[in-house]
Amino acid sequence: MKQIDKLYINGEWVSWSGDMIDVHEAATGEVLAKIPAGSRAEMEQAIEAADRAFATWSESTVDQRLNVIGQIQEQLAARADEIAEAISREVGMPLKLATQIQAGLPAGITKSYMKLLPEFPFTETVGNSEVQYAPVGVVGCITPWNYPLHQVILKVIPALAAGCTVVLKPSEIAPLSAFLLAEIIDATDLPAGAFNVVSGYGQEVGDALIHHPKVKMVSFTGSTRTGQTIFHAAAEDFKRIALEMGGKSASVVLPDADLKGAVKGTVNNCLLNSGQTCTALTRLLVPRDRHDEACELAKEAVGKMTPGNPLEETTRLGPLASAVQRDRVLEYIRLGIEEGADLICGGPEAPEGLEQGYFVKATVFGNVDPNSRIAQEEVFGPVLCIIPYDDEAQALEIANGTLYGLSGAVWSADQAKAKAVAGRMRTGQVFVNGGAFNPMAPFGGFGHSGIGREFGKWGLEEFLEVRSLQL
Ligand code: NAD
């Protein structure tokens, strides 16, 4: 068991002797590590340190920022195995996938900012005006547990690239990689205080962060409910906000599509990280006359996802990240049955031989009423709803018929047709015929899925204020 009894404040590891939080291994439920349940006093110190450091870091040159970001990138790549294993244990994602995604993606995104930063126009000329982009100030970053380092990097790297300073409040459920990042940053040339980590509970340190007047922006990823709390708090003194929240994304299969490919692509996407992905395609919309075939194909695709310990080579589907999350997902599976959806596979019992830890059976519901709770609310687990539709207009109405709008997919033999349908989806990104994820493209949500965008230049611009000089 790992004992982390320090917080990272003002460039120093500050000893912590207060309450600790247990971090559990998802596959066994055993305590994997203990981390500080920091208090408001430490959060205050970290914000003060970030505020002092802003005076120097906001004046840094692009070369100085590139140097630091390059040092971080190098170590993220060098320590990829350690990062992947820590996240695989705390979150439950199969190790091989965690190496590619949980460790590989943060290193890749950091690299993409090294390319973008020297090209970014921090000043522009518009007629007789010079437009300047200035760092917002101290940024509070609050992150969830499902892609713990990825979500941290998407905030910290563009914030530092913009010249902002950061106080990070990582998820209490999967915090290990945030401490690894603090170790990495500690060894760089970043001035003391420009990056701080205060772990703890949302209601305590998170609350202190979002209400502090010296915090000029809050960048948050997590549940829609917490996002709303942050939005209210930010309104008090007009803090900038970026909110990345939940989703209930639709995968729309048009009548001419290759049904097998579409179902396979949707199931794989839906079950990634055991369904704990904000962009998961959790609603599969199929023409009514192909519904039964789609259910059979989905069952077949789910059957190939061998559940097991994420550290084992053969595992394709790991456990959920916490007991709370497992119980929440099981409640939803029971609810789906109660609401009258057809249970195609899975169900509310633990998979055989995996009664320990936080395992849930991958579950597919057929003939789902698009207005039922199982089809409207974010489950955040390995649960797919198959919904039949009668015509394209109805398919779009169902696809756009939730409060969310984070991601989506369209499948058709006719690419132009698929693009036209994608263009009518009220969502921040759409995968057309299985198009590849692009880390340079903007990412974010419509409606209750969020405000603001991450990745690429859009992610950087979130951390910049705009000023114009009339010359
Ligand atoms: P959560 O909202 O419970 O917690 C997220 C973070 O907010 C944690 O660090 C938590 O401690 C903190 N927090 C909680 N209450 C707070 C408060 N009152 N004040 C300040 N901070 C507070 O979310 P979670 O359960 O960790 O993550 C799952 C959710 O995140 C899902 O709904 C998922 O869709 C969403 N998510 C969204 C994206 C995206 O990019 N859109 C990505 C991943 C996850």
Side-chain angles (χ1 to χ4, degrees), residues 49-68:
D51 188 48
R52 286 192 303 275
F54 184 69
T56 37
W57 188 245
S58 61
E59 298 286 325
S60 58
T61 63
V62 165
D63 280 349
Q64 285 168 325
R65 295 177 198 176
L66 264 179
N67 169 45
V68 167

Side-chain angles (χ1 to χ4, degrees), residues 143 145-146 151 169 172 221-223 226 244-246 278 378:
T143 52
W145 44 263
N146 54 339
Q151 285 139 350
K169 203 306 269 172
E172 58 275 35
T221 301
S223 64
T226 307
E244 297 287 350
M245 304 178 291
C278 50
E378 186 182 51

Side-chain angles (χ1 to χ4, degrees), residues 30-365:
E30 282 163 18
V31 177
L32 175 66
K34 286 181 183 285
I35 59 149
S39 75
R40 287 172 189 271
E42 281 68 33
M43 184 50 90
E44 174 87 29
Q45 280 174 29
I47 295 167
E48 290 293 343
D51 188 48
R52 286 192 303 275
F54 184 69
T56 37
W57 188 245
S58 61
E59 298 286 325
S60 58
T61 63
V62 165
D63 280 349
Q64 285 168 325
R65 295 177 198 176
L66 264 179
N67 169 45
V68 167
I69 294 170
Q71 290 172 328
I72 297 172
Q73 201 282 332
E74 204 183 317
Q75 285 306 305
L76 286 175
R79 298 180 70 173
D81 289 347
E82 194 184 344
I83 291 167
E85 189 183 330
I87 298 178
S88 180
R89 285 183 187 273
E90 61 185 359
V91 177
M93 181 184 262
L95 183 60
K96 212 166 135 192
L97 261 183
T99 306
Q100 278 167 28
I101 301 176
Q102 301 277 13
L105 202 51
I109 288 165
T110 307
K111 204 167 202 168
S112 76
Y113 276 107
M114 290 167 65
K115 185 165 179 292
L116 193 143
L117 187 55
E119 295 163 3
F120 188 82
F122 281 94
T123 56
E124 282 177 311
T125 304
V126 179
N128 68 317
S129 301
E130 183 177 299
V131 180
Q132 302 179 340
Y133 295 87
V136 167
V138 175
V139 179
C141 297
I142 302 183
T143 52
W145 44 263
N146 54 339
Y147 292 87
L149 185 61
H150 167 67
Q151 285 139 350
V152 164
I153 286 293
L154 270 178
K155 301 180 185 323
V156 170
I157 297 298
L160 294 178
C164 295
T165 56
V166 171
V167 179
L168 169 65
K169 203 306 269 172
S171 164
E172 58 275 35
I173 293 165
L176 300 182
S177 55
F179 286 99
L180 278 171
L181 180 66
E183 270 178 43
I184 288 174
I185 291 185
D186 188 49
T188 68
D189 297 328
L190 189 72
F195 174 75
N196 308 270
V197 178
V198 181
S199 59
Y201 293 110
Q203 274 79 0
E204 180 79 11
V205 283
D207 187 77
L209 184 58
I210 63 179
H211 285 100
H212 201 290
K214 286 191 176 165
V215 174
K216 300 300 176 200
M217 172 170 174
V218 179
S219 178
F220 167 77
T221 301
S223 64
T224 297
R225 188 195 288 184
T226 307
Q228 200 162 43
T229 304
I230 290 173
F231 204 173
H232 280 293
E236 283 166 18
D237 53 351
F238 298 97
K239 287 184 187 11
R240 294 278 174 273
I241 46 153
L243 305 174
E244 297 287 350
M245 304 178 291
K248 192 75 189 176
S249 301
S251 177
V252 180
V253 184
L254 296 178
D256 66 349
D258 159 24
L259 187 66
K260 194 169 178 186
V263 172
K264 191 173 158 213
T266 304
V267 168
N268 287 344
N269 176 297
C270 178
L271 298 186
L272 181 68
N273 206 20
S274 295
Q276 303 165 111
T277 303
C278 50
T279 53
L281 299 170
T282 50
R283 296 182 299 147
L284 176 62
L285 276 50
V286 293
R288 193 171 297 280
D289 61 355
R290 306 198 72 185
H291 170 268
D292 294 356
E293 197 189 337
C295 289
E296 274 313 302
L297 288 166
K299 190 174 170 183
E300 201 180 300
V302 165
K304 295 193 175 136
M305 303 291 287
T306 318
N309 188 306
L311 301 180
E312 280 165 24
E313 184 83 13
T314 49
T315 298
R316 296 281 306 281
L317 193 70
L320 299 189
S322 69
V324 170
Q325 191 60 20
R326 175 199 56 201
D327 295 346
R328 193 176 150 220
V329 172
L330 292 177
E331 265 313 297
Y332 269 112
I333 295 175
R334 288 186 202 105
L335 176 74
I337 296 168
E338 265 168 47
E339 286 181 321
D342 300 343
L343 184 64
I344 306 296
C345 62
E349 315 80 26
E352 216 172 301
L354 295 169
E355 289 79 11
Q356 256 198 325
Y358 312 135
F359 290 92
V360 172
K361 278 186 182 168
T363 298
V364 177
F365 285 114

